Amino acid sequence: MSIELIASQGTVATPDRPTDSPLAIRGLTVSYGQKPAVFSVDMTVQPGAMTAIIGPNGAGKSTLLKAALGIVRPLSGQVQVFGAPLARQRARIAYVPQRASIDWDFPTRVIDVVLMGLYRQLGLLRRIRGVHRDRALTCLDRVGMRDFADRQIGQLSGGQQQRVFLARALAQDADLYLLDEPFAGVDAATEKAIIGVLKSLRAEGKTVVVVHHDLATVRDYFDNVFLINTSKVAEGPVSTAFTSETLQATYGGRLATVQVDQLAATALA
Amino acid sequence: MFVDALLLQLGYNATLVAIGATLLGIAAGSTGTFLFLRKRALVSDAISHATLPGVCLAFMVMVWLGGDGRNLVGLLLGSAISAWIGLLCLNWLVQHTRLAEDAAIGAVLSVFFGFGVVLLTVIQTMGSGRQAGLESFLLGSTAGMLWADAMVIAVGGAVAVAMIVLLRRPMTLVAFDPDYALARGLPVARIDLAMMGLVMAVTVVGLKIVGLILIVALLIIPPVTARFWTERSDVVVLLAGLVGGFSGFVGAAISASAPNLPTGPIIVLVSFGCFVMSLLLAPGRGALAALLRHLRFQKRVHLRQGLLALAQGQPIYEALTLRLLRRAGLVRPDGVATELGRARAAKALRDERRWQAVRSDRDHEAAAALYDGLRDIETVLTRDQIAEVDRGIGGPKGVPA
């Protein structure tokens, strides 16, 4: 019962026309085998804001993101992007996958990876020209990786690889950016660079959704949170939805009470 | 003889075979690159073995219809159909059962090939079957190659190469990052199927020259050879095509230059030769380059450790370290440091102190990350920064800066 209560408190005023949200999910259930990874989730992402998807390991954070992108097929549910079906809005979405899913020995250079972001402009046969290369270099510049353009991707550190993948997403010039654990296992310089880019995207009016694992930085980085543990626990602005109660409800016994209290304390500060 | 063969001077049949093998090699090498990049190289083995029942059934059907059972186009059509069925079986097994792809490959390959061998035996007992020579599809046979056969290979190879040019971007994207490709709305399953369709086409047109058992070599060896020389996937495709074409041409020439040399296996051996050369000699990824890099690195480590030991007055037991120090004129043959050795040792020790200071200072985080015990501190910090570090640790003691 208490969970439902918190959820309703945590819900902010949904936009007047919720279907125009950059990402609106209704009744989404995804299952690998018999056990749902994500169960009956509703989500309404606020435009022009940065939202963190938060939850314990195996809570379905990445699955939610992948289902929203059509990478995994949901058992049920609807996904609307900017008020239209996903298939018609592909060009407006940029996705940064988890680093672990990539073969880093693949024969490709940093600039080639970023040029993959221009796939739509290039089509099947158009030649890669100076303008495309310039655009890719500009995107690399934004994440501080311009000097690495000609390196093979395996020669980069984990954080640098992550920044290259962000640059590829930037090259798409999308309106909605979905990132899967971009801060996992990266160095401090990379974290700073990535959050700087994400904030500048928000300043341009873009919408950013991040699967995030570090509870300590939620308050500094994000406007909204979406707490999930298979089903939704809470959704809304950090100030109302990111509380010790919602965290306890999301993480249960997995989060020591001390940690919860500390986070709640920073919440009040 | 061999030179004549290279110059296409050995007669009509040899020339046809050489041209056909070259075109086949180009198509197989560039097609195989995408299999290799997608890490599904062995799928081609399942596809090629699955051609056999199709060849046999096509022969039987054509005989039954009263035609010539050996019509190449008919046989290839049959092989394509059964290879496609094998591929679909494989995909179904991987997607709808818990079988891993390697196990599914094993199952499809052996079942289809076994069925094919049974059919071959049945054909042997047929009246017109004895002269069919269908076994030649196992290892290829170029003896009686006709103009029409060469045309089949040329057209099939050209179509495959054209499709690669058309699909290279989506196929690369799917091979590199399938999740991202899906997120961008690419039909990943269909692109994979198209790639396998290309592999199948190359396999089918290669049956005549290389045969179904060895075609996998022509699909896989050229791309792994090309990979040694470049870090760009588009260049791998190009080089793999070249390696394949070169192997096809030279292999065909060699087999034409002496009697009773089988064409297909010789082509495979030539491409294997290219692979071994690349494995050994390629800069960067080659084995020799890696060995040299390792030895150079080892030498630097030993010199550094030796200098630090000298500076701290510790005895050096390691023979390699002593030898390297002697050769560099840093110690005398009896193991005592020379003038130069003492100076270098003092500098090494001082640099180590500087590094310690840098690594414990949060302001130098970026520089500290470059510490590996070997790097000269001058390559990381400016003169002014080093001076500041030196002030922190009390400055150099009795050594010229």
Side-chain angles (χ1 to χ4, degrees), chain A residues 66 69 71 90 95 97 102-103 105-109 112-113 116-120 122-128 152-153 165 168 172 188, chain B residues 36-39 165-170 172-173 175-180 182-186 191 227 230-234 236 285 365:
Chain A
K66 286 185 177 177
L69 284 157
I71 296 173
R90 291 280 186 197
Y95 170 55
I102 304 294
D103 163 26
D105 197 39
F106 197 91
T108 190
R109 298 168 305 168
D112 301 323
V113 173
M116 287 177 193
L118 296 173
Y119 180 80
R120 245 165 228 279
L122 288 167
L124 290 179
L125 289 173
R126 203 158 305 146
R127 285 179 60 87
I128 293 169
Q152 196 267 335
I153 48 164
F165 277 67
R168 176 176 69 177
Q172 283 178 243
Chain B
F36 162 64
L37 292 177
R38 189 86 171 96
K39 298 180 182 49
V165 172
L166 191 68
L167 294 177
R168 65 190 195 281
R169 280 191 189 130
T172 308
L173 192 54
F176 176 59
D177 192 349
D179 275 3
Y180 179 75
L182 275 170
R184 299 215 60 179
L186 285 176
I191 290 168
R227 180 67 182 92
T230 176
E231 301 287 1
R232 295 178 53 179
S233 57
D234 46 351
V236 176
R285 296 179 75 91
E365 192 185 337

Coordinates of all heavy atoms in Angstrom, one line a residue, chain A residues 66 69 71 90 95 97 102-103 105-109 112-113 116-120 122-128 152-153 165 168 172 188, chain B residues 36-39 165-170 172-173 175-180 182-186 191 227 230-234 236 285 365:
Chain A
K66 N 15.7 -0.7 -23.6 CA 15.7 -1.4 -24.8 C 14.3 -1.6 -25.4 O 14.2 -1.6 -26.6 CB 16.4 -2.7 -24.6 CG 17.9 -2.6 -24.5 CD 18.6 -3.9 -24.3 CE 20.1 -3.7 -24.3 NZ 20.8 -5.0 -24.1
L69 N 13.1 1.3 -27.2 CA 13.8 1.5 -28.5 C 13.4 0.4 -29.5 O 13.9 0.5 -30.6 CB 15.3 1.5 -28.3 CG 15.9 2.8 -27.7 CD1 17.2 2.5 -27.0 CD2 16.0 3.9 -28.7
I71 N 14.4 -2.6 -29.2 CA 15.5 -3.6 -29.4 C 15.1 -4.9 -28.8 O 15.4 -6.0 -29.4 CB 16.8 -3.1 -28.6 CG1 17.3 -1.8 -29.2 CG2 17.9 -4.1 -28.6 CD1 18.4 -1.1 -28.5
R90 N 12.1 7.3 -35.4 CA 13.5 6.8 -35.3 C 14.5 7.9 -35.4 O 15.5 7.9 -34.7 CB 13.8 5.7 -36.3 CG 13.0 4.5 -36.1 CD 13.6 3.6 -35.0 NE 13.0 2.4 -34.9 CZ 13.1 1.5 -33.9 NH1 13.8 1.9 -32.9 NH2 12.4 0.4 -33.9
Y95 N 20.7 6.8 -29.3 CA 20.9 5.7 -28.3 C 22.4 5.5 -28.0 O 23.1 5.4 -29.0 CB 20.2 4.4 -28.7 CG 20.5 3.2 -27.9 CD1 20.2 3.2 -26.5 CD2 20.9 2.1 -28.5 CE1 20.4 2.1 -25.8 CE2 21.1 0.9 -27.7 CZ 20.9 0.9 -26.4 OH 21.1 -0.2 -25.7
P97 N 24.5 2.7 -26.3 CA 24.4 1.4 -25.6 C 25.5 1.2 -24.5 O 26.4 2.0 -24.4 CB 24.6 0.4 -26.7 CG 25.3 1.1 -27.8 CD 25.0 2.6 -27.6
I102 N 30.0 -4.2 -26.8 CA 30.8 -4.0 -28.0 C 32.0 -4.8 -28.1 O 32.7 -5.1 -27.0 CB 31.2 -2.5 -28.0 CG1 30.0 -1.6 -27.9 CG2 32.0 -2.2 -29.3 CD1 29.1 -1.6 -29.1
D103 N 32.4 -5.3 -29.3 CA 33.7 -5.9 -29.5 C 34.7 -4.9 -29.8 O 34.7 -4.2 -30.9 CB 33.6 -6.9 -30.7 CG 35.0 -7.3 -31.2 OD1 35.9 -7.3 -30.4 OD2 35.0 -7.7 -32.4
D105 N 37.8 -5.0 -30.4 CA 38.8 -5.3 -31.4 C 38.3 -5.1 -32.9 O 39.0 -5.4 -33.8 CB 39.4 -6.7 -31.2 CG 40.7 -6.9 -31.9 OD1 41.5 -6.0 -31.9 OD2 40.9 -8.0 -32.5
F106 N 37.1 -4.7 -33.0 CA 36.5 -4.5 -34.3 C 37.3 -3.5 -35.1 O 37.8 -2.5 -34.6 CB 35.1 -4.0 -34.2 CG 34.2 -4.1 -35.4 CD1 33.4 -5.3 -35.6 CD2 34.2 -3.1 -36.3 CE1 32.7 -5.4 -36.7 CE2 33.4 -3.3 -37.5 CZ 32.6 -4.4 -37.7
P107 N 37.6 -3.8 -36.4 CA 38.5 -2.9 -37.2 C 37.7 -1.6 -37.5 O 37.2 -1.5 -38.6 CB 38.8 -3.8 -38.4 CG 37.7 -4.7 -38.6 CD 37.2 -5.0 -37.2
T108 N 37.7 -0.7 -36.6 CA 37.1 0.6 -36.9 C 37.8 1.7 -36.1 O 38.2 1.4 -35.0 CB 35.6 0.5 -36.6 OG1 35.0 1.7 -37.1 CG2 35.3 0.4 -35.2
R109 N 37.9 2.8 -36.7 CA 38.5 3.9 -36.0 C 37.5 4.8 -35.3 O 36.3 4.7 -35.6 CB 39.3 4.8 -37.0 CG 40.4 4.1 -37.7 CD 40.9 4.9 -38.8 NE 39.9 5.3 -39.7 CZ 39.9 6.2 -40.7 NH1 41.1 6.8 -40.9 NH2 38.9 6.4 -41.4
D112 N 35.2 6.6 -37.6 CA 34.3 5.7 -38.3 C 33.1 5.5 -37.5 O 31.9 5.4 -37.9 CB 34.9 4.4 -38.7 CG 36.2 4.6 -39.6 OD1 36.1 5.5 -40.4 OD2 37.1 3.9 -39.4
V113 N 33.3 5.3 -36.1 CA 32.2 5.1 -35.2 C 31.2 6.3 -35.2 O 30.0 6.1 -35.3 CB 32.7 4.8 -33.8 CG1 31.5 4.7 -32.8 CG2 33.5 3.5 -33.8
M116 N 29.1 6.6 -38.2 CA 27.9 5.7 -38.1 C 26.6 6.5 -37.7 O 25.5 6.1 -38.0 CB 28.1 4.5 -37.2 CG 29.1 3.5 -37.7 SD 29.4 2.2 -36.5 CE 30.8 1.4 -37.2
G117 N 26.9 7.5 -36.9 CA 25.7 8.3 -36.5 C 25.1 9.1 -37.6 O 23.9 9.5 -37.5
L118 N 25.9 9.3 -38.7 CA 25.3 10.0 -39.9 C 24.7 9.0 -40.9 O 24.5 9.4 -42.0 CB 26.5 10.8 -40.5 CG 27.1 11.9 -39.6 CD1 28.3 12.5 -40.3 CD2 26.0 13.0 -39.4
Y119 N 24.5 7.8 -40.4 CA 24.0 6.8 -41.3 C 22.8 7.2 -42.2 O 22.7 6.9 -43.4 CB 23.6 5.6 -40.4 CG 23.1 4.4 -41.2 CD1 24.0 3.6 -41.8 CD2 21.7 4.2 -41.3 CE1 23.5 2.5 -42.6 CE2 21.3 3.2 -42.1 CZ 22.1 2.3 -42.7 OH 21.7 1.3 -43.4
R120 N 21.9 7.9 -41.5 CA 20.7 8.3 -42.3 C 21.0 9.3 -43.4 O 20.5 9.2 -44.5 CB 19.7 9.0 -41.3 CG 18.4 8.2 -41.2 CD 17.6 8.6 -40.0 NE 17.2 7.5 -39.2 CZ 16.1 6.7 -39.5 NH1 15.4 7.0 -40.6 NH2 15.8 5.7 -38.8
L122 N 23.8 9.6 -44.9 CA 24.7 8.9 -45.9 C 23.9 7.9 -46.8 O 24.2 7.7 -47.9 CB 25.9 8.2 -45.3 CG 26.9 9.2 -44.7 CD1 27.9 8.5 -43.8 CD2 27.7 9.9 -45.8
G123 N 22.9 7.3 -46.2 CA 22.2 6.3 -46.9 C 23.1 5.1 -47.3 O 24.1 4.8 -46.7
L124 N 22.7 4.4 -48.4 CA 23.5 3.2 -48.8 C 24.7 3.6 -49.5 O 25.8 2.9 -49.4 CB 22.6 2.3 -49.6 CG 21.5 1.6 -48.9 CD1 20.7 0.7 -49.8 CD2 22.0 0.8 -47.7
L125 N 24.7 4.5 -50.4 CA 25.7 4.7 -51.4 C 26.5 6.0 -51.4 O 27.5 6.1 -51.9 CB 25.2 4.5 -52.8 CG 24.8 3.0 -53.1 CD1 24.1 2.9 -54.4 CD2 26.1 2.1 -53.1
R126 N 25.9 7.1 -50.7 CA 26.5 8.4 -50.8 C 27.9 8.3 -50.2 O 28.2 7.7 -49.2 CB 25.7 9.4 -50.0 CG 25.9 10.8 -50.5 CD 24.7 11.7 -50.2 NE 23.4 11.1 -50.7 CZ 22.3 11.2 -50.0 NH1 22.2 11.9 -48.9 NH2 21.2 10.7 -50.6
R127 N 28.8 9.0 -50.9 CA 30.2 9.1 -50.4 C 30.3 9.9 -49.1 O 29.6 10.9 -49.0 CB 31.1 9.6 -51.5 CG 31.4 8.7 -52.6 CD 32.3 9.4 -53.7 NE 33.5 9.8 -53.1 CZ 34.6 8.9 -53.0 NH1 34.5 7.8 -53.6 NH2 35.7 9.3 -52.5
I128 N 31.3 9.5 -48.3 CA 31.6 10.3 -47.1 C 32.4 11.5 -47.6 O 33.5 11.4 -48.2 CB 32.3 9.5 -46.1 CG1 31.4 8.4 -45.5 CG2 32.8 10.4 -44.9 CD1 32.1 7.4 -44.7
Q152 N 42.3 3.3 -33.5 CA 41.4 2.2 -33.4 C 40.7 2.2 -32.1 O 41.4 2.5 -31.0 CB 42.2 0.9 -33.6 CG 41.4 -0.3 -34.0 CD 40.9 -1.1 -32.8 OE1 41.6 -1.1 -31.8 NE2 39.8 -1.8 -32.9
I153 N 39.5 1.9 -32.0 CA 38.7 2.1 -30.8 C 39.2 1.2 -29.6 O 39.0 1.6 -28.5 CB 37.2 1.8 -31.0 CG1 37.0 0.4 -31.7 CG2 36.5 2.8 -31.8 CD1 35.7 -0.2 -31.6
F165 N 31.1 7.0 -28.1 CA 29.7 6.6 -28.3 C 28.7 7.7 -28.1 O 27.7 7.8 -28.8 CB 29.4 5.3 -27.5 CG 29.9 4.1 -28.1 CD1 31.2 3.9 -28.3 CD2 29.0 3.2 -28.7 CE1 31.7 2.7 -28.9 CE2 29.4 2.1 -29.3 CZ 30.8 1.8 -29.4
R168 N 28.9 9.7 -31.2 CA 28.1 9.1 -32.3 C 26.6 9.5 -32.2 O 25.9 9.9 -33.2 CB 28.2 7.6 -32.3 CG 27.4 6.9 -33.3 CD 27.6 5.4 -33.4 NE 27.0 4.8 -32.2 CZ 27.1 3.5 -32.0 NH1 27.6 2.7 -32.9 NH2 26.6 2.9 -30.9
Q172 N 23.9 12.3 -34.6 CA 22.6 12.0 -35.2 C 21.7 13.3 -35.1 O 20.6 13.4 -35.7 CB 21.9 10.9 -34.3 CG 22.3 9.6 -34.7 CD 21.6 8.5 -33.8 OE1 22.3 7.9 -33.0 NE2 20.3 8.5 -33.9
A188 N 37.0 10.0 -13.8 CA 36.4 11.3 -13.4 C 36.3 12.3 -14.5 O 35.3 12.9 -14.7 CB 37.2 11.8 -12.2
Chain B
F36 N 33.0 -12.8 -41.0 CA 34.1 -12.7 -40.0 C 33.8 -11.6 -39.0 O 33.9 -11.8 -37.8 CB 35.4 -12.5 -40.8 CG 36.5 -12.0 -40.0 CD1 37.0 -12.8 -39.0 CD2 37.1 -10.8 -40.2 CE1 38.1 -12.3 -38.2 CE2 38.1 -10.3 -39.5 CZ 38.7 -11.1 -38.5
L37 N 33.4 -10.5 -39.5 CA 33.1 -9.3 -38.6 C 31.9 -9.6 -37.7 O 31.9 -9.1 -36.6 CB 32.9 -8.0 -39.4 CG 34.1 -7.5 -40.2 CD1 33.7 -6.3 -41.0 CD2 35.2 -7.1 -39.2
R38 N 31.0 -10.3 -38.3 CA 29.8 -10.7 -37.5 C 30.0 -11.8 -36.6 O 29.1 -12.2 -35.8 CB 28.6 -11.0 -38.4 CG 27.2 -11.1 -37.8 CD 26.5 -9.8 -37.7 NE 25.1 -9.9 -37.3 CZ 24.7 -9.9 -36.0 NH1 25.6 -9.7 -35.0 NH2 23.4 -10.0 -35.7
K39 N 31.2 -12.4 -36.6 CA 31.6 -13.6 -35.8 C 30.7 -14.8 -36.1 O 30.3 -15.5 -35.2 CB 31.6 -13.2 -34.3 CG 32.6 -12.1 -34.1 CD 32.6 -11.7 -32.7 CE 33.6 -10.6 -32.5 NZ 33.4 -9.5 -33.5
V165 N 28.7 -3.8 -52.2 CA 28.8 -2.4 -52.3 C 27.5 -1.7 -51.8 O 27.6 -0.8 -51.0 CB 29.1 -2.0 -53.8 CG1 29.1 -0.5 -53.9 CG2 30.5 -2.5 -54.2
L166 N 26.4 -2.3 -52.2 CA 25.1 -1.7 -51.8 C 24.9 -1.8 -50.3 O 24.3 -0.9 -49.7 CB 24.0 -2.4 -52.6 CG 22.6 -1.8 -52.5 CD1 22.7 -0.4 -53.3 CD2 21.6 -2.7 -53.1
L167 N 25.2 -2.9 -49.7 CA 24.8 -3.2 -48.3 C 26.0 -3.0 -47.3 O 25.8 -3.4 -46.2 CB 24.3 -4.7 -48.2 CG 23.0 -4.9 -48.9 CD1 22.6 -6.4 -48.8 CD2 21.9 -4.0 -48.4
R168 N 27.1 -2.5 -47.8 CA 28.2 -2.5 -46.9 C 28.0 -1.7 -45.6 O 28.4 -2.1 -44.5 CB 29.5 -1.9 -47.6 CG 29.4 -0.5 -48.0 CD 30.5 -0.1 -48.9 NE 30.7 1.4 -49.0 CZ 29.9 2.1 -49.7 NH1 28.9 1.6 -50.5 NH2 30.1 3.5 -49.8
R169 N 27.3 -0.6 -45.7 CA 27.1 0.2 -44.4 C 26.2 -0.5 -43.5 O 26.5 -0.7 -42.3 CB 26.6 1.6 -44.8 CG 27.7 2.5 -45.2 CD 27.3 3.9 -45.3 NE 28.4 4.7 -46.0 CZ 28.2 5.5 -47.0 NH1 27.0 5.7 -47.5 NH2 29.3 6.1 -47.5
P170 N 25.0 -0.9 -43.9 CA 24.1 -1.6 -42.9 C 24.8 -2.9 -42.4 O 24.7 -3.2 -41.2 CB 22.8 -1.9 -43.6 CG 23.1 -1.6 -45.0 CD 24.2 -0.6 -45.1
T172 N 28.0 -3.5 -42.0 CA 29.0 -3.2 -41.0 C 28.4 -2.7 -39.7 O 28.9 -3.1 -38.6 CB 29.9 -2.0 -41.6 OG1 30.3 -2.4 -42.9 CG2 31.1 -1.7 -40.7
L173 N 27.4 -1.9 -39.8 CA 26.8 -1.4 -38.5 C 26.2 -2.6 -37.7 O 26.3 -2.6 -36.5 CB 25.6 -0.4 -38.9 CG 25.1 0.4 -37.8 CD1 26.2 1.2 -37.1 CD2 24.1 1.4 -38.4
A175 N 27.2 -5.7 -37.8 CA 28.2 -6.5 -37.3 C 28.9 -5.8 -36.1 O 29.2 -6.5 -35.1 CB 29.3 -6.7 -38.3
F176 N 29.0 -4.5 -36.1 CA 29.7 -3.8 -35.0 C 28.8 -3.7 -33.8 O 29.3 -3.9 -32.7 CB 30.2 -2.4 -35.5 CG 30.8 -1.6 -34.5 CD1 31.9 -2.0 -33.8 CD2 30.3 -0.4 -34.2 CE1 32.6 -1.3 -32.9 CE2 30.9 0.4 -33.2 CZ 32.0 0.0 -32.5
D177 N 27.6 -3.3 -34.0 CA 26.8 -2.9 -32.8 C 25.3 -3.1 -33.2 O 24.6 -2.2 -33.5 CB 27.0 -1.4 -32.6 CG 26.5 -0.9 -31.3 OD1 25.7 -1.7 -30.7 OD2 26.8 0.2 -30.9
P178 N 24.9 -4.4 -33.1 CA 23.5 -4.8 -33.5 C 22.4 -4.1 -32.7 O 21.4 -3.7 -33.3 CB 23.5 -6.3 -33.3 CG 24.7 -6.7 -32.5 CD 25.7 -5.6 -32.7
D179 N 22.7 -3.8 -31.4 CA 21.6 -3.1 -30.6 C 21.4 -1.7 -31.2 O 20.3 -1.2 -31.3 CB 22.1 -3.0 -29.2 CG 21.7 -4.3 -28.4 OD1 21.1 -5.2 -29.1 OD2 21.9 -4.3 -27.2
Y180 N 22.5 -1.0 -31.5 CA 22.4 0.3 -32.0 C 21.7 0.3 -33.3 O 20.9 1.2 -33.6 CB 23.8 0.9 -32.1 CG 23.9 2.3 -32.7 CD1 23.5 3.4 -31.9 CD2 24.3 2.6 -34.0 CE1 23.5 4.7 -32.4 CE2 24.3 3.8 -34.5 CZ 23.9 4.9 -33.7 OH 24.0 6.2 -34.2
L182 N 19.5 -1.8 -34.3 CA 18.1 -2.0 -34.1 C 17.4 -0.7 -33.6 O 16.3 -0.3 -34.0 CB 17.9 -3.1 -33.0 CG 17.8 -4.5 -33.4 CD1 17.9 -5.4 -32.2 CD2 16.6 -4.8 -34.2
A183 N 18.1 0.0 -32.7 CA 17.6 1.3 -32.2 C 17.4 2.3 -33.3 O 16.6 3.2 -33.2 CB 18.5 1.8 -31.1
R184 N 18.2 2.2 -34.3 CA 18.0 3.1 -35.5 C 17.0 2.6 -36.4 O 16.8 3.2 -37.5 CB 19.4 3.3 -36.1 CG 20.4 3.9 -35.2 CD 21.3 4.9 -35.8 NE 20.7 6.0 -36.4 CZ 21.3 7.0 -37.1 NH1 22.6 6.9 -37.1 NH2 20.7 8.0 -37.6
G185 N 16.4 1.5 -36.1 CA 15.3 1.0 -37.0 C 15.8 0.2 -38.2 O 15.0 0.0 -39.1
L186 N 17.0 -0.3 -38.1 CA 17.4 -1.1 -39.2 C 16.8 -2.5 -39.1 O 16.7 -3.0 -38.0 CB 19.0 -1.3 -39.2 CG 19.8 -0.1 -39.7 CD1 21.3 -0.3 -39.6 CD2 19.5 0.2 -41.2
I191 N 18.9 -8.0 -42.6 CA 20.3 -7.7 -43.1 C 21.1 -9.0 -42.9 O 21.9 -9.3 -43.8 CB 20.8 -6.5 -42.4 CG1 20.1 -5.3 -42.9 CG2 22.3 -6.4 -42.6 CD1 20.3 -4.0 -42.0
R227 N 42.8 -8.6 -42.0 CA 42.7 -8.0 -40.7 C 44.1 -7.6 -40.2 O 44.2 -6.6 -39.4 CB 41.9 -8.9 -39.8 CG 41.7 -8.3 -38.4 CD 40.8 -7.1 -38.4 NE 40.6 -6.5 -37.1 CZ 41.3 -5.6 -36.6 NH1 42.3 -5.1 -37.3 NH2 41.1 -5.0 -35.4
T230 N 45.2 -3.8 -41.4 CA 44.4 -2.5 -41.3 C 43.5 -2.5 -40.1 O 43.2 -3.6 -39.6 CB 43.6 -2.3 -42.6 OG1 42.8 -1.1 -42.4 CG2 42.7 -3.5 -42.8
E231 N 43.2 -1.3 -39.6 CA 42.2 -1.2 -38.5 C 40.9 -0.6 -39.1 O 40.1 -0.1 -38.3 CB 42.8 -0.2 -37.5 CG 44.1 -0.7 -36.9 CD 43.9 -1.8 -35.9 OE1 42.8 -2.3 -35.7 OE2 44.9 -2.3 -35.3
R232 N 40.7 -0.7 -40.4 CA 39.4 -0.2 -40.9 C 38.7 -1.2 -41.6 O 39.2 -2.0 -42.5 CB 39.8 1.0 -41.9 CG 40.4 2.2 -41.3 CD 40.8 3.2 -42.3 NE 39.6 3.5 -43.1 CZ 39.7 4.4 -44.1 NH1 40.8 5.0 -44.4 NH2 38.6 4.7 -44.8
S233 N 37.4 -1.3 -41.3 CA 36.6 -2.4 -41.8 C 36.4 -2.3 -43.4 O 36.5 -3.4 -44.1 CB 35.2 -2.5 -41.2 OG 34.5 -1.2 -41.4
D234 N 36.3 -1.1 -43.9 CA 36.2 -1.0 -45.4 C 37.4 -1.5 -46.1 O 37.4 -2.1 -47.1 CB 35.8 0.4 -45.8 CG 36.6 1.5 -45.1 OD1 37.3 1.1 -44.2 OD2 36.5 2.6 -45.5
V236 N 39.5 -3.7 -44.8 CA 39.5 -5.2 -44.7 C 38.7 -5.8 -45.8 O 39.2 -6.8 -46.5 CB 38.9 -5.6 -43.3 CG1 38.8 -7.2 -43.3 CG2 39.7 -5.1 -42.2
R285 N 49.9 -5.8 -35.9 CA 49.3 -7.0 -35.4 C 50.1 -8.2 -35.6 O 49.7 -9.3 -35.2 CB 47.9 -7.1 -36.0 CG 47.0 -6.0 -35.7 CD 45.6 -6.1 -36.3 NE 44.8 -7.1 -35.7 CZ 44.0 -6.9 -34.7 NH1 43.8 -5.7 -34.2 NH2 43.2 -7.9 -34.2
E365 N 46.2 14.9 -11.6 CA 45.5 13.6 -11.9 C 45.8 13.1 -13.3 O 46.1 11.9 -13.5 CB 44.0 13.8 -11.6 CG 43.3 12.5 -11.6 CD 41.8 12.7 -11.5 OE1 41.4 13.8 -11.0 OE2 41.1 11.7 -11.9

